[in-house]
């Protein structure tokens, strides 16, 4: 059965096959750089789909133990522009003295990741922070963004993307590919 694109999606930007190949490559990079353990922090909700595929790829390639927690960093609400102010919810455990790997769906202005990395290092005593982002809207980065991406899936243009965990107003997260949101959906 072939399904047509859902209402509101103008085209597929990154296919399932491309995602899966790139996730495998990222897993290899992470395995290469990691020791016996990985302490991952997954940014909800978008990072969850990516992280679960990534973890299984890491497990296929290594016997690294992966500990992980989820946290929610709110900066968008229902809009398509980051508000810049970041609200952390969920408690996160066992950060002190650890090398933390942040897993995020997409980096845009960089506000979310910078704020989170500073918080983990300065307020929670993390030894180091590495970042893994599936998508990178590099043209949108604010100069004040202090974080570098250690593991990056795909650079992307300034389009509003949904699917594979990414949403627009809580819709489209379940799509197995990354699609471009129709301009007229954006209010
Ligand atoms: P930043 O703080 O401006 O870097 O924004 C990053 C966050 O904005 C990501 O965690 C996403 O939740 C959201 N975001 C940015 N661009 C998109 C997009 O194209 N589609 C869906 N969410 C996005
Ligand atoms: Mg997000």
């Amino acid at each position: 059965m072939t399904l047509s694109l859902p209402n509101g999606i103008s085209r597929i930007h990154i296919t399932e096959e491309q995602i899966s190949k790139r996730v495998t490559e990222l897993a290899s990079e992470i395995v290469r750089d990691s020791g016996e353990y990985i302490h991952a922090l997954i940014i909800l909700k978008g990072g969850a789909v990516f992280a679960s595929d990534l973890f299984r790829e890491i497990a296929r390639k290594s016997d690294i133990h992966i500990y992980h927690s989820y946290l929610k960093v709110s900066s968008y609400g229902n809009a398509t522009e980051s508000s810049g102010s970041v609200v952390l919810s969920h408690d996160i455990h066992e950060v002190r003295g650890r090398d933390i790997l942040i897993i995020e769906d997409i980096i845009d202005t960089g506000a979310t990741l910078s704020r989170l990395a500073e918080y983990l290092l300065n307020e929670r005593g993390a030894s180091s922070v590495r970042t893994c982002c599936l998508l990178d809207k590099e043209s949108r980065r604010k100069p004040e963004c202090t974080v570098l991406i250690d593991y990056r899936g795909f650079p992307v243009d300034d389009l509003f993307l949904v699917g594979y965990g990414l949403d627009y107003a809580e819709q489209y997260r379940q799509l197995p590919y990354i699609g471009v949101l129709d301009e007229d959906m954006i209010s």
Side-chain angles (χ1 to χ4, degrees):
M1 189 175 70
T2 320
L3 293 174
S4 55
L5 292 180
N7 205 7
I9 304 296
S10 54
R11 62 183 172 82
I12 296 178
H13 194 58
I14 306 176
T15 64
E16 285 187 62
E17 292 72 24
Q18 288 172 308
I19 295 172
S20 145
K21 178 169 179 283
R22 193 68 191 116
V23 168
T24 306
E25 291 164 357
L26 290 172
S28 300
E29 292 177 35
I30 293 171
V31 166
R32 177 198 65 202
D33 297 345
S34 300
E36 208 179 335
Y37 302 99
I38 290 174
H39 295 278
L41 274 184
I42 302 161
I43 306 188
L44 289 174
K45 300 174 191 171
V49 174
F50 172 40
S52 61
D53 281 348
L54 190 64
F55 290 171
R56 284 175 292 178
E57 278 307 319
I58 292 172
R60 287 187 187 106
K61 295 173 188 300
S62 74
D63 54 8
I64 296 173
H65 301 271
I66 306 179
Y67 294 96
H68 68 276
S69 315
Y70 296 92
L71 80 162
K72 192 157 169 78
V73 184
S74 306
S75 63
Y76 263 58
N78 281 349
T80 56
E81 280 280 314
S82 181
S83 67
S85 61
V86 172
V87 182
L88 294 168
S89 63
H90 265 241
D91 197 22
I92 45 178
H93 306 279
E94 319 255 340
V95 168
R96 189 159 301 280
R98 300 241 148 104
D99 299 314
I100 303 292
L101 177 67
I102 302 176
I103 301 181
E104 168 68 310
D105 50 6
I106 183 164
I107 177 165
D108 183 26
T109 63
T112 307
L113 269 190
S114 305
R115 170 76 186 80
L116 180 60
E118 279 164 27
Y119 171 77
L120 294 172
L121 290 165
N122 303 336
E123 288 170 53
R124 300 295 296 253
S127 294
S128 69
V129 170
R130 282 181 294 159
T131 56
C132 175
C133 286
L134 183 66
L135 306 174
D136 178 7
K137 270 191 204 171
E138 47 191 354
S139 69
R140 298 256 309 157
R141 201 79 84 259
K142 292 256 166 73
E144 55 273 24
C145 172
T146 51
V147 170
L148 299 175
I149 318 288
D150 297 286
Y151 309 101
R152 175 174 85 159
F154 301 92
V156 288
D157 292 335
D158 184 12
L159 299 164
F160 201 83
L161 301 169
V162 293
Y164 198 69
L166 292 119
D167 75 308
Y168 173 65
E170 295 301 329
Q171 294 181 74
Y172 308 113
R173 292 193 196 277
Q174 73 281 4
L175 300 177
Y177 49 80
I178 291 170
V180 178
L181 187 70
D182 242 325
E183 292 267 327
D184 24 291
M185 289 292 291
I186 302 172
S187 43

